[in-house]
Amino acid sequence: MNYALTIIINSFIIIFTSLCFGFIFEAFYSTVIALLGFASFRLLTGGYHFQSSLACNFSSILLCSLAPHLAQLIPNYILIFMNFISLFLLILIAPRFDRNTFISKKHYLKLKLIAILFALLTIWTNSTTLEIVVFVQTLSLLLLERSAKHE
């Protein structure tokens, strides 16, 4: 019960704080897109988990609040490179769940294919905010890989 309540409170903090920043900095709808995209993509791919909820909250808020603003600053050739890296890593290592996640390995191929389609859809729709979120979340798969080898 305590674990579930902690997840709900942390999710609320991330969503509320990110949306406040989005409203204050006139990027509310892009922040909503970043939040929904990040949560959805993370469910499909897994990734690194911080040791503290504070670090998780801070990094999630930072990503979802900055992605809409970075979207306006990143040149196309950098985005193309980021998308290529994301797709390459998704094909190679996604999904990557930690040992506390109970998803049967028989579903991994389906999750991989859906994640790749998700990434391709963000490219096709030219949603730079989502492309940034997908890229950062895909990089977290590498962090999980590294931390798993050192345990």
PDB file of all heavy atoms in Angstrom, residues 134-149:
ATOM      1  N   VAL A 134      11.929  10.599 -26.762  1.00  0.00           N
ATOM      2  CA  VAL A 134      12.278   9.241 -27.185  1.00  0.00           C
ATOM      3  C   VAL A 134      13.795   9.037 -27.112  1.00  0.00           C
ATOM      4  O   VAL A 134      14.265   8.012 -26.618  1.00  0.00           O
ATOM      5  CB  VAL A 134      11.747   8.953 -28.612  1.00  0.00           C
ATOM      6  CG1 VAL A 134      12.402   7.725 -29.226  1.00  0.00           C
ATOM      7  CG2 VAL A 134      10.236   8.789 -28.578  1.00  0.00           C
ATOM      8  N   PHE A 135      14.552  10.005 -27.551  1.00  0.00           N
ATOM      9  CA  PHE A 135      16.008   9.908 -27.529  1.00  0.00           C
ATOM     10  C   PHE A 135      16.528   9.755 -26.101  1.00  0.00           C
ATOM     11  O   PHE A 135      17.310   8.852 -25.802  1.00  0.00           O
ATOM     12  CB  PHE A 135      16.631  11.128 -28.205  1.00  0.00           C
ATOM     13  CG  PHE A 135      18.124  11.144 -28.178  1.00  0.00           C
ATOM     14  CD1 PHE A 135      18.859  10.253 -28.935  1.00  0.00           C
ATOM     15  CD2 PHE A 135      18.805  12.062 -27.385  1.00  0.00           C
ATOM     16  CE1 PHE A 135      20.248  10.258 -28.918  1.00  0.00           C
ATOM     17  CE2 PHE A 135      20.188  12.082 -27.357  1.00  0.00           C
ATOM     18  CZ  PHE A 135      20.912  11.172 -28.133  1.00  0.00           C
ATOM     19  N   VAL A 136      16.090  10.615 -25.197  1.00  0.00           N
ATOM     20  CA  VAL A 136      16.563  10.574 -23.805  1.00  0.00           C
ATOM     21  C   VAL A 136      16.141   9.263 -23.138  1.00  0.00           C
ATOM     22  O   VAL A 136      16.946   8.625 -22.452  1.00  0.00           O
ATOM     23  CB  VAL A 136      16.065  11.802 -23.013  1.00  0.00           C
ATOM     24  CG1 VAL A 136      16.399  11.674 -21.542  1.00  0.00           C
ATOM     25  CG2 VAL A 136      16.669  13.080 -23.588  1.00  0.00           C
ATOM     26  N   GLN A 137      14.886   8.862 -23.360  1.00  0.00           N
ATOM     27  CA  GLN A 137      14.421   7.608 -22.763  1.00  0.00           C
ATOM     28  C   GLN A 137      15.199   6.418 -23.321  1.00  0.00           C
ATOM     29  O   GLN A 137      15.538   5.494 -22.587  1.00  0.00           O
ATOM     30  CB  GLN A 137      12.914   7.433 -22.999  1.00  0.00           C
ATOM     31  CG  GLN A 137      12.363   6.080 -22.611  1.00  0.00           C
ATOM     32  CD  GLN A 137      12.679   5.646 -21.193  1.00  0.00           C
ATOM     33  OE1 GLN A 137      12.866   6.461 -20.304  1.00  0.00           O
ATOM     34  NE2 GLN A 137      12.751   4.349 -20.978  1.00  0.00           N
ATOM     35  N   THR A 138      15.507   6.442 -24.603  1.00  0.00           N
ATOM     36  CA  THR A 138      16.281   5.351 -25.202  1.00  0.00           C
ATOM     37  C   THR A 138      17.684   5.302 -24.606  1.00  0.00           C
ATOM     38  O   THR A 138      18.218   4.216 -24.366  1.00  0.00           O
ATOM     39  CB  THR A 138      16.339   5.502 -26.737  1.00  0.00           C
ATOM     40  OG1 THR A 138      15.005   5.557 -27.234  1.00  0.00           O
ATOM     41  CG2 THR A 138      17.053   4.341 -27.376  1.00  0.00           C
ATOM     42  N   LEU A 139      18.269   6.458 -24.337  1.00  0.00           N
ATOM     43  CA  LEU A 139      19.595   6.480 -23.696  1.00  0.00           C
ATOM     44  C   LEU A 139      19.539   5.858 -22.302  1.00  0.00           C
ATOM     45  O   LEU A 139      20.525   5.273 -21.858  1.00  0.00           O
ATOM     46  CB  LEU A 139      20.136   7.905 -23.615  1.00  0.00           C
ATOM     47  CG  LEU A 139      20.528   8.556 -24.934  1.00  0.00           C
ATOM     48  CD1 LEU A 139      21.042   9.977 -24.691  1.00  0.00           C
ATOM     49  CD2 LEU A 139      21.557   7.732 -25.686  1.00  0.00           C
ATOM     50  N   SER A 140      18.404   5.958 -21.631  1.00  0.00           N
ATOM     51  CA  SER A 140      18.301   5.361 -20.290  1.00  0.00           C
ATOM     52  C   SER A 140      18.403   3.845 -20.344  1.00  0.00           C
ATOM     53  O   SER A 140      18.725   3.211 -19.350  1.00  0.00           O
ATOM     54  CB  SER A 140      17.021   5.809 -19.580  1.00  0.00           C
ATOM     55  OG  SER A 140      15.923   4.992 -19.909  1.00  0.00           O
ATOM     56  N   LEU A 141      18.134   3.266 -21.509  1.00  0.00           N
ATOM     57  CA  LEU A 141      18.312   1.818 -21.663  1.00  0.00           C
ATOM     58  C   LEU A 141      19.789   1.453 -21.544  1.00  0.00           C
ATOM     59  O   LEU A 141      20.123   0.391 -21.027  1.00  0.00           O
ATOM     60  CB  LEU A 141      17.773   1.347 -23.013  1.00  0.00           C
ATOM     61  CG  LEU A 141      16.298   1.614 -23.288  1.00  0.00           C
ATOM     62  CD1 LEU A 141      15.932   1.164 -24.695  1.00  0.00           C
ATOM     63  CD2 LEU A 141      15.422   0.969 -22.254  1.00  0.00           C
ATOM     64  N   LEU A 142      20.649   2.331 -22.014  1.00  0.00           N
ATOM     65  CA  LEU A 142      22.089   2.099 -21.894  1.00  0.00           C
ATOM     66  C   LEU A 142      22.532   2.170 -20.447  1.00  0.00           C
ATOM     67  O   LEU A 142      23.394   1.398 -20.019  1.00  0.00           O
ATOM     68  CB  LEU A 142      22.871   3.128 -22.715  1.00  0.00           C
ATOM     69  CG  LEU A 142      22.753   3.027 -24.226  1.00  0.00           C
ATOM     70  CD1 LEU A 142      23.431   4.213 -24.880  1.00  0.00           C
ATOM     71  CD2 LEU A 142      23.329   1.720 -24.713  1.00  0.00           C
ATOM     72  N   LEU A 143      21.961   3.088 -19.690  1.00  0.00           N
ATOM     73  CA  LEU A 143      22.316   3.212 -18.269  1.00  0.00           C
ATOM     74  C   LEU A 143      21.918   1.962 -17.507  1.00  0.00           C
ATOM     75  O   LEU A 143      22.654   1.496 -16.650  1.00  0.00           O
ATOM     76  CB  LEU A 143      21.648   4.442 -17.655  1.00  0.00           C
ATOM     77  CG  LEU A 143      22.122   5.788 -18.156  1.00  0.00           C
ATOM     78  CD1 LEU A 143      21.259   6.904 -17.587  1.00  0.00           C
ATOM     79  CD2 LEU A 143      23.580   6.001 -17.804  1.00  0.00           C
ATOM     80  N   LEU A 144      20.763   1.418 -17.821  1.00  0.00           N
ATOM     81  CA  LEU A 144      20.326   0.197 -17.148  1.00  0.00           C
ATOM     82  C   LEU A 144      21.256  -0.950 -17.506  1.00  0.00           C
ATOM     83  O   LEU A 144      21.626  -1.738 -16.667  1.00  0.00           O
ATOM     84  CB  LEU A 144      18.887  -0.152 -17.530  1.00  0.00           C
ATOM     85  CG  LEU A 144      18.323  -1.371 -16.800  1.00  0.00           C
ATOM     86  CD1 LEU A 144      18.245  -1.103 -15.316  1.00  0.00           C
ATOM     87  CD2 LEU A 144      16.955  -1.713 -17.342  1.00  0.00           C
ATOM     88  N   GLU A 145      21.660  -1.016 -18.765  1.00  0.00           N
ATOM     89  CA  GLU A 145      22.579  -2.061 -19.215  1.00  0.00           C
ATOM     90  C   GLU A 145      23.878  -1.986 -18.419  1.00  0.00           C
ATOM     91  O   GLU A 145      24.378  -2.969 -17.931  1.00  0.00           O
ATOM     92  CB  GLU A 145      22.857  -1.889 -20.713  1.00  0.00           C
ATOM     93  CG  GLU A 145      23.919  -2.792 -21.257  1.00  0.00           C
ATOM     94  CD  GLU A 145      23.465  -4.245 -21.375  1.00  0.00           C
ATOM     95  OE1 GLU A 145      22.271  -4.526 -21.206  1.00  0.00           O
ATOM     96  OE2 GLU A 145      24.319  -5.092 -21.632  1.00  0.00           O
ATOM     97  N   ARG A 146      24.419  -0.782 -18.286  1.00  0.00           N
ATOM     98  CA  ARG A 146      25.683  -0.608 -17.567  1.00  0.00           C
ATOM     99  C   ARG A 146      25.537  -0.954 -16.101  1.00  0.00           C
ATOM    100  O   ARG A 146      26.355  -1.634 -15.520  1.00  0.00           O
ATOM    101  CB  ARG A 146      26.163   0.834 -17.733  1.00  0.00           C
ATOM    102  CG  ARG A 146      27.639   0.974 -17.418  1.00  0.00           C
ATOM    103  CD  ARG A 146      28.109   2.378 -17.626  1.00  0.00           C
ATOM    104  NE  ARG A 146      28.253   2.919 -16.296  1.00  0.00           N
ATOM    105  CZ  ARG A 146      28.011   4.143 -15.946  1.00  0.00           C
ATOM    106  NH1 ARG A 146      27.596   5.013 -16.820  1.00  0.00           N
ATOM    107  NH2 ARG A 146      28.179   4.551 -14.723  1.00  0.00           N
ATOM    108  N   SER A 147      24.445  -0.482 -15.463  1.00  0.00           N
ATOM    109  CA  SER A 147      24.285  -0.747 -14.026  1.00  0.00           C
ATOM    110  C   SER A 147      24.023  -2.224 -13.767  1.00  0.00           C
ATOM    111  O   SER A 147      24.431  -2.745 -12.747  1.00  0.00           O
ATOM    112  CB  SER A 147      23.147   0.103 -13.465  1.00  0.00           C
ATOM    113  OG  SER A 147      21.907  -0.300 -13.998  1.00  0.00           O
ATOM    114  N   ALA A 148      23.360  -2.909 -14.673  1.00  0.00           N
ATOM    115  CA  ALA A 148      23.085  -4.338 -14.479  1.00  0.00           C
ATOM    116  C   ALA A 148      24.370  -5.145 -14.524  1.00  0.00           C
ATOM    117  O   ALA A 148      24.506  -6.144 -13.817  1.00  0.00           O
ATOM    118  CB  ALA A 148      22.118  -4.822 -15.557  1.00  0.00           C
ATOM    119  N   LYS A 149      25.332  -4.731 -15.311  1.00  0.00           N
ATOM    120  CA  LYS A 149      26.602  -5.462 -15.406  1.00  0.00           C
ATOM    121  C   LYS A 149      27.438  -5.306 -14.148  1.00  0.00           C
ATOM    122  O   LYS A 149      28.281  -6.143 -13.852  1.00  0.00           O
ATOM    123  CB  LYS A 149      27.407  -4.963 -16.612  1.00  0.00           C
ATOM    124  CG  LYS A 149      26.857  -5.441 -17.933  1.00  0.00           C
ATOM    125  CD  LYS A 149      27.733  -4.960 -19.058  1.00  0.00           C
ATOM    126  CE  LYS A 149      27.196  -5.439 -20.389  1.00  0.00           C
ATOM    127  NZ  LYS A 149      27.971  -4.917 -21.509  1.00  0.00           N
TER     128      LYS A 149
END
